[in-house]
Amino acid sequence: MPKQGKNIYLRKDGRWEGRYIKGRVDGKARYGYVFGKSYEEALDNLLQATSQITDAQNQTAITFGAVSSEWLTVQTPELKASSVARYRNLLNSYILPRFSANAIQEIQRSEVVVFSRDLLTSGGASSQGLAPKTVNSILSVLKNIFTYASNEKSMLVADIKDISVKQPQKPMRILSKGEQKALSTYLCSDPTPCHLGILLSLYTGLRIGEVCALRWQDICVEEQYLHVHQTMQRIQVKSDGRKRTKVVILPPKSDCSIRRIPIPDEVMRLLKAARKQDDAFLLTGLVHSYIEPRCLENRFKAVSKECGLTDVNYHALRHTFATRCVELGFDIKSLSEILGHASVNITLNRYVHPSMDLKQRNMNLLSELLTTK
């Protein structure tokens, strides 16, 4: 039974339990609980908890814009420059125009649901709607800010953790063996530094930013491997109040992307013949001149056209490498480490696409169970 009109009860385990309303979200009461060995201790804890709630409720004037700015400032020292630039861009382009002036505690879950739908149907500069992947990235930033407000600012905010949009799996473009042969022949017939970089991606699975950042000192000729420890990308930066971009070379975003990749014998032979000084970029052979990912993608499109390849982008080289490795019977764990994945599941689900020939060979193994006399 409650004592003296307070919402405090004696539990069966001998402890006293106090219950209080933390606040209301979308009209529904959210409860908090405190405990004590005695009624007096539980009452004291209950008064402290309700006092904190009152203080938090007095903070309703704090806007989402203020909390998001504080969140990004706190996170910046732990993030890479590219991540900070991306978060700031998502905030400025999509989130702040919608929620900046709102008190964060007054933003309801239903508003976030409508916001995500609007992004899908009419978001973007052309109002044609954003891709599901982009919308989920925006929602991820929004969720992080709400979590920060709840955990670090003791604010009662809407629960939006499970809000997301369905992201259909796009078919991956894989070069056929004939297409791979044609591309390899073209690149080997004219082994310029840029062509060698494209060939290296096709036969080691390097990402476009990784091959752009590669220098000759990262290639160990004696032990026949390359060391991936940097990636190149163009990021947005603030300058004189205007949006500008710059090329940066940074460590990969995850530790598992820092790796050593064995180089196939024939590719190694071509690399040895083209060797330049250690601190020169692989794609240019020069120390102070590089090719950035956007330019390499354009050069690859020109090469693809010369080889008669259609509907293919640079990342297809990585998909093709992974698929060929599976067809040749690579150990999946080894392949996952070569690709720089955090887990084998990523390799299997995202990059491995068995060909119809491989499926047919596997199905033919069942023929052994069918015996005719």
Side-chain angles (χ1 to χ4, degrees):
M1 294 290 293
K3 188 175 180 181
Q4 297 178 359
K6 298 292 184 182
N7 205 8
I8 301 177
Y9 298 83
L10 180 62
R11 294 164 50 99
K12 291 182 179 180
D13 61 6
R15 292 186 301 163
W16 290 85
E17 174 189 303
R19 187 177 78 161
Y20 62 98
I21 296 177
K22 295 168 62 176
R24 297 182 183 277
V25 177
D26 294 337
K28 296 181 180 179
R30 297 294 174 90
Y31 293 96
Y33 301 87
V34 296
F35 303 91
K37 294 180 180 179
S38 66
Y39 173 83
E40 288 73 19
E41 183 180 349
L43 177 60
D44 184 55
N45 291 338
L46 184 61
L47 292 174
Q48 290 184 36
T50 53
S51 176
Q52 290 175 359
I53 290 299
T54 300
D55 291 342
Q57 289 173 344
N58 290 333
Q59 299 176 16
T60 53
I62 297 180
T63 64
F64 175 88
V67 177
S68 64
S69 178
E70 182 177 321
W71 167 78
L72 189 59
T73 299
V74 170
Q75 294 296 315
T76 294
E78 301 179 7
L79 297 173
K80 297 188 182 303
S82 56
S83 297
V84 174
R86 176 161 175 75
Y87 291 159
R88 183 179 289 115
N89 184 50
L90 292 176
L91 278 166
N92 293 336
S93 299
Y94 307 108
I95 303 175
L96 291 179
R98 185 72 164 251
F99 297 115
S100 180
N102 295 47
I104 190 168
Q105 291 171 301
E106 296 177 0
I107 299 174
Q108 297 187 6
R109 174 187 170 87
S110 57
E111 292 180 78
V112 177
V113 172
V114 172
F115 174 58
S116 66
R117 291 174 181 168
D118 289 345
L119 291 174
L120 275 176
T121 58
S122 58
S126 60
S127 299
Q128 297 299 308
L130 299 174
K133 182 178 180 180
T134 303
V135 176
N136 280 329
S137 295
I138 294 169
L139 289 173
S140 177
V141 174
L142 199 57
K143 292 172 188 177
N144 286 336
I145 295 170
F146 271 54
T147 299
Y148 174 81
S150 176
N151 294 347
E152 305 299 329
K153 308 291 288 183
S154 299
M155 293 179 172
L156 189 66
V157 295
D159 183 2
I160 62 171
K161 293 184 181 66
D162 63 338
I163 298 178
S164 63
V165 298
K166 189 174 293 185
Q167 193 169 313
Q169 189 72 29
K170 290 184 178 180
M172 301 295 183
R173 175 69 161 96
I174 308 298
L175 299 183
S176 67
K177 291 182 179 178
E179 290 175 325
Q180 184 170 353
K181 180 66 175 177
L183 177 60
S184 299
T185 300
Y186 179 88
L187 296 172
C188 292
S189 66
D190 184 19
T192 64
C194 187
H195 287 176
L196 286 177
I198 296 173
L199 191 72
L200 200 58
S201 289
L202 181 59
Y203 286 94
T204 64
L206 284 178
R207 301 177 177 94
I208 191 168
E210 293 171 342
V211 72
C212 287
L214 204 65
R215 295 180 185 266
W216 280 101
Q217 62 194 13
D218 299 320
I219 299 175
C220 180
V221 175
E222 293 77 16
E223 299 182 41
Q224 199 164 316
Y225 70 81
L226 61 89
H227 182 208
V228 180
H229 61 100
Q230 291 183 312
T231 187
M232 181 187 295
Q233 58 189 128
R234 181 174 287 277
I235 65 172
Q236 284 191 351
V237 294
K238 284 186 175 180
S239 179
D240 301 327
R242 292 180 293 176
K243 287 185 179 180
R244 295 183 182 274
T245 63
K246 70 174 182 179
V247 173
V248 295
I249 299 177
L250 300 167
K253 63 180 180 180
S254 61
D255 291 340
C256 56
S257 291
I258 299 176
R259 60 202 189 277
R260 293 182 177 184
I261 303 177
I263 301 173
D265 292 340
E266 188 60 24
V267 176
M268 191 72 246
R269 183 186 66 80
L270 293 170
L271 290 173
K272 285 180 179 178
R275 180 87 190 188
K276 297 293 188 296
Q277 65 187 85
D278 284 350
D279 54 350
F281 284 98
L282 173 72
L283 293 182
T284 62
L286 303 172
V287 176
H288 301 294
S289 177
Y290 54 78
I291 296 177
E292 66 167 290
R294 182 171 54 186
C295 294
L296 181 57
E297 182 74 63
N298 290 334
R299 294 196 182 193
F300 176 67
K301 287 179 181 179
V303 169
S304 300
K305 186 176 181 181
E306 289 292 326
C307 297
L309 307 181
T310 57
D311 295 329
V312 57
N313 60 22
Y314 199 93
H315 205 64
L317 301 178
R318 183 170 165 86
H319 295 313
T320 300
F321 167 77
T323 302
R324 290 291 106 82
C325 288
V326 171
E327 292 174 351
L328 293 170
F330 267 52
D331 167 63
I332 297 297
K333 177 61 176 175
S334 297
L335 176 59
S336 181
E337 292 182 359
I338 289 172
L339 291 170
H341 289 159
S343 71
V344 172
N345 287 336
I346 296 176
T347 308
L348 290 171
N349 296 333
R350 187 180 302 171
Y351 290 94
V352 177
H353 315 279
S355 66
M356 184 56 71
D357 288 342
L358 178 60
K359 293 175 183 177
Q360 184 63 59
R361 289 202 303 271
N362 288 335
M363 292 297 286
N364 285 340
L365 295 176
L366 296 173
S367 295
E368 297 177 6
L369 301 177
L370 178 65
T371 57
T372 57
K373 297 183 180 179

